[in-house]
Amino acid sequence: MSEFVLFTDFGRRDPYQAQMAAVLQRSVPDWRVVDLHAEVPAFALELGAYLLPSYVPEFPAGSIFVCVVDPGVGGPRDAVVLRADDRWFVGPDNGLLRVVEARAAKARYWYLETPGAASASFHGRDVFAPAAARLARGWRPEGGGHKGRALPEGWPEELDRVVYADHYGNLMIGRRAETLRPDARIRAGELILSQARTFSDHADGMPFWYVNANGLVELAVYQDSAAHRLGLGPGDPVQVLE
Amino acid sequence: MSEFVLFTDFGRRDPYQAQMAAVLQRSVPDWRVVDLHAEVPAFALELGAYLLPSYVPEFPAGSIFVCVVDPGVGGPRDAVVLRADDRWFVGPDNGLLRVVEARAAKARYWYLETPGAASASFHGRDVFAPAAARLARGWRPEGGGHKGRALPEGWPEELDRVVYADHYGNLMIGRRAETLRPDARIRAGELILSQARTFSDHADGMPFWYVNANGLVELAVYQDSAAHRLGLGPGDPVQVLE
Amino acid sequence: MSEFVLFTDFGRRDPYQAQMAAVLQRSVPDWRVVDLHAEVPAFALELGAYLLPSYVPEFPAGSIFVCVVDPGVGGPRDAVVLRADDRWFVGPDNGLLRVVEARAAKARYWYLETPGAASASFHGRDVFAPAAARLARGWRPEGGGHKGRALPEGWPEELDRVVYADHYGNLMIGRRAETLRPDARIRAGELILSQARTFSDHADGMPFWYVNANGLVELAVYQDSAAHRLGLGPGDPVQVLE
């Protein structure tokens, strides 16, 4: 028994996440469905692509991630099953899985056929969840698949942009904190931020950066919104000064 | 084993949906609870009534829908258990279930008593969920019940209004797409929309209508918000031009 | 088998609640996780402290509440396990649990150590959920613990402030309705409100107060938002006139 992990831009308000989860739970009742994220920035594949890997180590080997940020649904983009080290990922082949793929020590992927009965607009429910359910029940894609690819042309190793703004106003950056020296400073909006270990270290109200609980660089202000203070949101760039 | 399906205006932010779901899970641990919708437009019974049927076929025979949009809670409105073809529905008798009831090939309904200990304001937790749990455990309402009714006086077969605006800004219309010719046009706001098969067919940014993944007419714009572009929201009318 | 109950300010949009719930479900698969609240007002310990007790009796004896509103996470504040009558509570010792503690007939608490591997910013996932999971599996904190404390200096028996505004615009007050005479009036904003039994009793559109389904005083307007009508939100004071 293991876990399905949902990572989408389906929106917490809307019924799509529950519809997709229902397919999984109905097909594989003894697996857990972790409804991790429904608020990945919509349409913004690159932001989600650099956010996703930060959550991967938190889930056990054998987990199956169902990842859907899919503005091209119904069009010519491919669908894939990706095996990256010990975990599976199912989703559109539009970039969303490419950072996980590129960073894996061992990665292979397979193209996934779209069943004729699938709707044109909801492949999460009609293509990706059924494929994830089949994987959970032991199905494996045919053949050896394709060797995992490097990052798409022009994509950086680390993305110095806001990839997610949480409801506190904390700003997650698409950069692994382990790539920075502790004394690195980050230019964000019109300010230059240094590192704090934890929120209350900067009770003076100055914005700071810290290593978030999933290993990303994150910008924050003690008991206030960094998003408002810095005037930044998803997609906006920051600059590392080393 | 089958499924409870929640369809309410309880709000995703608020604790009400979880409180109601907890009653169901505690009473019938071996059924799944599909937390489908908590954001049906508040107070707007007709909108929810035409939205609900689009989700019904997605759930297995024997499923029990707990449906609560209930501005008259605690007042004189009745509560009902409805059997519509192969599924059960529990909720207030205020119109919310009437489109499902009218469209069913075979429908019967029974009035539901309000337990004396029920709160005056939260019948989802205190009346509807307990009744749904009893149904799941095999209880059946007494007697043959009442024959399913036609639509309420003045309600149309299809509702040419926005019944839901999702977080992308897509606008669901209370009309089954199967009632339209593929070349039908829809006047929405100041524009006239024609059909597209999928989002990327109209990458030019023109709004269009399409058959959504639950069979309703839906208005959309590729990678943009139809709600903003058309200036429309829940309750606003559109006009089919055939 | 019993229930974990989540009560946090983690935000419904964000992944934190799911990350914490996943730890619980993975560790204790046969318990239910009731995802009660993720929208307790952020940073506002006193508001959450007076809101929490209203939900407690709804959950069975033996339930374990995981309560996290924790602006001082990573700093010097303590973490505690609280036994209050028949239920357990795990969370920061920053005031959030103090109303439950003070009102319990029998309360004891124990300090909780922070594992060295815990992140500095997400004790919900790394400290409180693991402790709750251990409790569920039979672990008990060592020694007799400390005797439950009275309310913190200066905290009132009942808090005449808005502790939560729901998405309808209803305003929950931090006062148990049983402490008021039925004919009590409440000054809120510029209006003076009297009691109604249920929403439709005041179909005239006048704001009123009523006993909510969890026993708190709540301000509401029939089919409208009391928050907008009264110009009040979380933290704002009201005044009981008796």
Side-chain angles (χ1 to χ4, degrees):
Chain A
M1 170 163 157
S2 192
E3 298 179 11
F4 296 113
V5 185
L6 313 186
F7 183 87
T8 79
D9 72 342
F10 285 171
R12 206 40 92 189
R13 292 180 59 242
D14 293 337
Y16 310 121
Q17 194 92 337
Q19 291 179 270
M20 189 167 81
V23 170
L24 295 168
Q25 300 190 295
R26 197 179 293 139
S27 308
V28 195
D30 55 335
W31 276 42
R32 278 182 296 280
V33 176
V34 177
D35 185 357
L36 180 66
H37 221 314
E39 294 278 351
V40 179
F43 313 137
L45 300 166
E46 207 175 352
L47 305 185
Y50 285 86
L51 179 60
L52 173 58
S54 74
Y55 295 106
V56 172
E58 194 163 316
F59 294 91
S63 292
I64 301 174
F65 286 71
V66 187
C67 303
V68 195
V69 178
D70 197 12
V73 61
R77 67 103 185 93
D78 287 311
V80 289
V81 170
L82 167 70
R83 174 84 183 179
D85 297 326
D86 293 333
R87 298 175 188 84
W88 294 96
F89 298 80
V90 183
D93 189 32
N94 59 8
L96 183 63
L97 304 179
R98 293 294 294 276
V99 181
V100 165
E101 185 178 331
R103 288 184 186 168
K106 243 178 92 176
R108 298 203 74 81
Y109 69 95
W110 295 260
Y111 291 106
L112 191 61
E113 277 189 40
T114 299
S119 66
S121 58
F122 195 2
H123 286 192
R125 181 193 65 185
D126 298 340
V127 179
F128 303 126
R134 288 197 304 275
L135 278 171
R137 293 190 308 244
W139 168 81
R140 291 295 174 263
E142 273 183 48
H146 304 273
K147 195 176 173 317
R149 295 158 288 188
L151 288 172
E153 183 72 26
W155 286 33
E157 285 295 320
E158 311 291 329
L159 185 70
D160 286 329
R161 292 183 181 276
V162 176
V163 293
Y164 187 70
D166 76 13
H167 85 294
Y168 301 108
N170 296 336
L171 300 168
M172 298 186 193
I173 306 299
R175 169 177 286 278
R176 289 167 290 186
E178 68 195 33
T179 65
L180 287 191
R181 293 207 320 259
D183 62 350
R185 291 165 307 141
I186 295 177
R187 186 193 303 271
E190 300 183 354
L191 293 181
I192 292 179
L193 282 54
S194 57
Q195 192 187 7
R197 196 188 61 85
T198 189
F199 295 105
S200 50
D201 285 358
H202 277 251
D204 57 3
M206 282 297 294
F208 55 88
W209 73 267
Y210 76 111
V211 184
N212 86 1
N214 285 76
L216 293 183
V217 170
E218 187 165 311
L219 315 185
V221 183
Y222 182 60
Q223 300 209 15
D224 200 352
S225 163
H228 292 155
R229 284 286 293 284
L230 300 169
L232 297 177
D236 288 333
V238 300
Q239 186 188 359
V240 173
L241 312 170
E242 287 202 274
Chain B
M1 170 162 157
S2 193
E3 298 179 11
F4 295 112
V5 185
L6 312 187
F7 182 88
T8 78
D9 72 343
F10 285 171
R12 207 40 92 189
R13 292 181 59 243
D14 293 337
Y16 310 122
Q17 194 91 337
Q19 291 179 271
M20 189 167 81
V23 171
L24 295 167
Q25 300 190 295
R26 197 179 293 140
S27 308
V28 195
D30 56 335
W31 276 43
R32 278 183 295 280
V33 176
V34 178
D35 185 357
L36 180 66
H37 221 315
E39 294 278 350
V40 179
F43 313 138
L45 300 165
E46 206 175 353
L47 305 185
Y50 285 86
L51 179 60
L52 173 58
S54 73
Y55 294 106
V56 172
E58 195 163 315
F59 294 90
S63 293
I64 301 173
F65 286 71
V66 187
C67 303
V68 195
V69 178
D70 197 12
V73 61
R77 67 103 185 93
D78 287 311
V80 289
V81 170
L82 167 70
R83 174 84 184 180
D85 298 326
D86 293 332
R87 298 174 187 85
W88 294 96
F89 299 80
V90 183
D93 189 33
N94 60 8
L96 183 62
L97 304 179
R98 294 293 295 275
V99 181
V100 165
E101 185 177 331
R103 288 184 185 168
K106 244 178 91 177
R108 298 203 74 81
Y109 69 95
W110 295 260
Y111 291 105
L112 191 61
E113 277 189 40
T114 299
S119 66
S121 58
F122 195 2
H123 285 192
R125 181 192 66 185
D126 298 340
V127 179
F128 303 126
R134 288 196 304 275
L135 278 171
R137 292 190 308 244
W139 168 81
R140 291 295 174 264
E142 273 184 49
H146 305 273
K147 195 176 173 316
R149 295 159 288 188
L151 287 172
E153 183 73 26
W155 285 33
E157 285 295 320
E158 311 291 330
L159 185 70
D160 287 328
R161 292 183 181 276
V162 176
V163 293
Y164 186 70
D166 76 14
H167 85 295
Y168 301 107
N170 297 336
L171 300 168
M172 298 186 192
I173 306 299
R175 169 177 286 277
R176 289 168 289 186
E178 68 194 33
T179 66
L180 287 191
R181 292 206 321 257
D183 62 350
R185 290 166 306 141
I186 295 177
R187 186 192 303 271
E190 300 184 353
L191 294 181
I192 291 179
L193 282 54
S194 56
Q195 192 187 6
R197 196 188 61 85
T198 188
F199 294 105
S200 49
D201 284 358
H202 278 251
D204 57 3
M206 282 297 295
F208 56 88
W209 72 267
Y210 77 110
V211 185
N212 86 2
N214 286 76
L216 293 182
V217 170
E218 186 165 311
L219 315 185
V221 183
Y222 182 60
Q223 301 208 15
D224 200 352
S225 163
H228 292 155
R229 283 286 294 283
L230 300 169
L232 298 177
D236 289 333
V238 299
Q239 186 188 359
V240 172
L241 312 170
E242 288 203 274
Chain C
M1 170 163 156
S2 193
E3 298 179 11
F4 295 112
V5 185
L6 313 187
F7 182 88
T8 79
D9 72 342
F10 285 171
R12 206 40 92 189
R13 293 180 59 242
D14 293 337
Y16 311 121
Q17 194 91 338
Q19 291 179 269
M20 189 167 81
V23 170
L24 295 168
Q25 300 190 295
R26 197 179 294 139
S27 309
V28 195
D30 55 334
W31 276 43
R32 277 182 296 280
V33 176
V34 178
D35 185 357
L36 180 66
H37 221 315
E39 294 278 350
V40 179
F43 314 136
L45 301 166
E46 206 175 352
L47 305 185
Y50 285 86
L51 179 60
L52 173 58
S54 73
Y55 294 106
V56 172
E58 195 164 316
F59 294 90
S63 292
I64 301 174
F65 286 72
V66 187
C67 303
V68 195
V69 178
D70 197 12
V73 61
R77 67 103 185 92
D78 287 310
V80 289
V81 170
L82 167 69
R83 174 83 184 180
D85 297 327
D86 294 332
R87 298 175 188 84
W88 294 96
F89 299 80
V90 183
D93 189 32
N94 59 7
L96 183 62
L97 304 179
R98 293 293 295 275
V99 181
V100 165
E101 185 178 331
R103 288 184 186 168
K106 243 178 92 176
R108 299 203 74 79
Y109 69 95
W110 295 260
Y111 291 106
L112 192 61
E113 277 188 40
T114 299
S119 66
S121 58
F122 194 2
H123 286 192
R125 181 192 66 185
D126 298 339
V127 180
F128 303 126
R134 287 197 303 275
L135 278 171
R137 292 190 308 244
W139 168 80
R140 290 295 174 264
E142 273 183 49
H146 305 273
K147 195 175 172 318
R149 294 159 288 188
L151 288 172
E153 184 72 26
W155 286 33
E157 285 295 321
E158 311 291 329
L159 185 70
D160 286 328
R161 293 183 181 275
V162 176
V163 293
Y164 187 70
D166 76 14
H167 85 294
Y168 302 107
N170 296 336
L171 300 167
M172 298 186 192
I173 306 299
R175 170 177 286 277
R176 290 167 290 186
E178 68 194 33
T179 65
L180 287 191
R181 293 205 322 258
D183 62 349
R185 291 165 307 141
I186 295 178
R187 186 192 304 271
E190 300 184 354
L191 293 181
I192 292 179
L193 282 55
S194 56
Q195 192 188 6
R197 196 188 61 85
T198 189
F199 295 105
S200 50
D201 284 358
H202 278 250
D204 57 4
M206 282 296 295
F208 56 88
W209 72 267
Y210 77 110
V211 185
N212 86 1
N214 285 76
L216 293 182
V217 170
E218 187 165 311
L219 315 185
V221 183
Y222 182 60
Q223 301 208 15
D224 200 351
S225 164
H228 292 155
R229 284 287 293 283
L230 300 169
L232 297 177
D236 288 333
V238 300
Q239 186 188 359
V240 172
L241 312 170
E242 287 203 274

